[in-house]
Amino acid sequence: MAKPKVFVTRIVPEKGLSLVRDFCEADIWQDEMPPSRADLLARVRDVDGLLSLLTDKIDAELMDAAPRLKVISNMAVGVDNVDVAAATARRIPVGNTPGVLTDATADHAFALMLSAARRIVEGEKYVRAGKWITWHPQLLLGADFAGATLGIIGFGRIGQAVAKRAQGFDLHVIYHDPSARPAYGATPTDLGTLLRESDFISLHVPLTEQTRHMINAETLRKMKPNAILVNTARGPVVDSQALYIALKSKQIFAAALDVTEPEPLPVDSPLLELDNCLIVPHLGSASRQTRDEMSFLAAQNLIAGLKGERLPNCVNPQLYD
Ligand code: GLV
């Protein structure tokens, strides 16, 4: 019997790719850059399955260009790049890769929080610039963790894993997420209280119309002057222009961003002029083991969809009701 045809939009780790190759006739995009819109539309024309990444826009137009499409498997936990409602309307299951990236992303949020608090990147630049001429009692002073308050916005798997780590640092943890139960000693609160009381604020919400620009001029104004904002969620959760103004005017102490608006961040972005803004290129889940597991889970979702079985991780499970 002929193998099902699939398009894989980049070279993902071999652990997932070999599973895809075993079961499918796979067209794998070889470039470092993602396929252009025209390439994407052309390559999905006669496929049964699609393994996509967060850099690919998977919308109704694309689904209509792929009349045989039976499954969309996104190698990410976030699915804001996929029009899930359009997929559901076409009875196409959409898979994602939660769980396997929880620890890596929480570790990364913590790394960013520590780096911003203790000014690691500024210190490194200082040494390389040849400015380290003596130990000085006032040099690059940062913030303490013990006894400080960490506010977590979005208390799902990753937010909770951040709270778990925070216990070891003696942070007092509060969170805002109306749908989540308390865990790891964290106390629920409303958003206004969290913004006013937190020394560190870490974002762990998905990008939706409700969370787009939830950190804006107004919410930034409520934060403490020593606040450090960490974003490992999605760039557009933060209004970057408002953040620039708040950081430049020292309304808040610092930000550490794994994700930006837009992405990649243009090299002439004013945020890059600021010493109190640390930016890395969307590396939340970027550990070898985690990416292996993400590719494997994405391959399992893809193959289940091709077989007409329930996806191990499906974001529109109402299709199975
Ligand atoms: C990464 O950002 C993901 O959503 O997995």
Side-chain angles (χ1 to χ4, degrees), residues 77 155 171-172:
V77 65
F155 205 58
L171 280 154
H172 167 61

Side-chain angles (χ1 to χ4, degrees), residues 54 74-80 97 101 105 232-234 258-259 282 284-285 291 294:
L54 56 86
N74 206 44
M75 196 184 105
V77 65
V79 286
D80 46 285
T97 61
L101 47 65
T105 309
T232 54
R234 282 292 183 268
D258 181 50
V259 288
H282 202 150
S285 62
R291 289 283 163 84
M294 288 169 71

Side-chain angles (χ1 to χ4, degrees), residues 149-154 174-177 187 189-202 222-223:
T149 296
L150 164 63
I152 298 176
I153 301 181
I174 55 180
Y175 73 88
H176 175 65
D177 186 336
T187 319
T189 188
D190 60 280
L191 184 59
T193 306
L194 183 144
L195 296 169
R196 277 191 304 275
E197 292 187 356
S198 299
D199 303 297
F200 300 92
I201 296 177
S202 194
K222 293 186 178 151
M223 294 180 193

Side-chain angles (χ1 to χ4, degrees), residues 115-316:
S115 301
R118 299 306 300 272
R119 307 179 70 171
I120 301 296
V121 175
E122 283 173 89
E124 217 260 351
K125 282 189 191 150
Y126 186 89
V127 173
R128 285 180 192 268
K131 294 183 183 168
W132 188 17
I133 48 168
T134 184
W135 183 89
H136 194 286
Q138 304 277 21
L139 178 64
L140 288 174
L141 301 185
D144 284 309
F145 269 41
T149 296
L150 164 63
I152 298 176
I153 301 181
F155 205 58
R157 294 179 194 84
I158 300 170
Q160 290 182 30
V162 169
K164 184 178 173 190
R165 283 151 180 75
Q167 288 186 314
F169 282 83
D170 288 337
L171 280 154
H172 167 61
V173 185
I174 55 180
Y175 73 88
H176 175 65
D177 186 336
S179 63
R181 294 246 182 96
Y184 301 112
T187 319
T189 188
D190 60 280
L191 184 59
T193 306
L194 183 144
L195 296 169
R196 277 191 304 275
E197 292 187 356
S198 299
D199 303 297
F200 300 92
I201 296 177
S202 194
L203 304 176
H204 300 286
V205 286
L207 176 62
T208 62
E209 279 325 300
Q210 287 72 45
T211 62
R212 186 176 295 275
H213 284 194
M214 80 184 289
I215 302 300
N216 52 38
E218 195 191 327
T219 44
L220 283 160
R221 239 190 324 269
K222 293 186 178 151
M223 294 180 193
K224 289 174 154 183
N226 65 308
I228 293 176
L229 176 70
V230 178
N231 189 6
T232 54
R234 282 292 183 268
V237 174
V238 178
D239 175 344
S240 43
Q241 239 181 313
L243 178 65
Y244 170 76
I245 293 166
L247 289 170
K248 173 100 183 159
S249 62
K250 305 267 165 40
Q251 191 186 318
I252 66 169
F253 180 69
L257 309 177
D258 181 50
V259 288
T260 59
E261 179 198 40
E263 233 172 74
L265 193 67
V267 284
D268 61 354
S269 164
L271 286 174
L272 294 171
E273 295 162 12
L274 301 173
D275 284 336
N276 58 347
C277 190
L278 191 168
I279 307 177
V280 293
H282 202 150
L283 299 173
S285 62
S287 74
R288 280 196 194 91
Q289 187 185 325
T290 295
R291 289 283 163 84
D292 279 353
E293 296 312 321
M294 288 169 71
S295 73
F296 194 66
L297 185 48
Q300 288 178 316
N301 281 332
L302 181 77
I303 291 166
L306 292 169
K307 288 180 172 166
E309 293 170 2
R310 192 182 178 109
L311 313 195
N313 273 291
C314 186
V315 297
N316 50 355

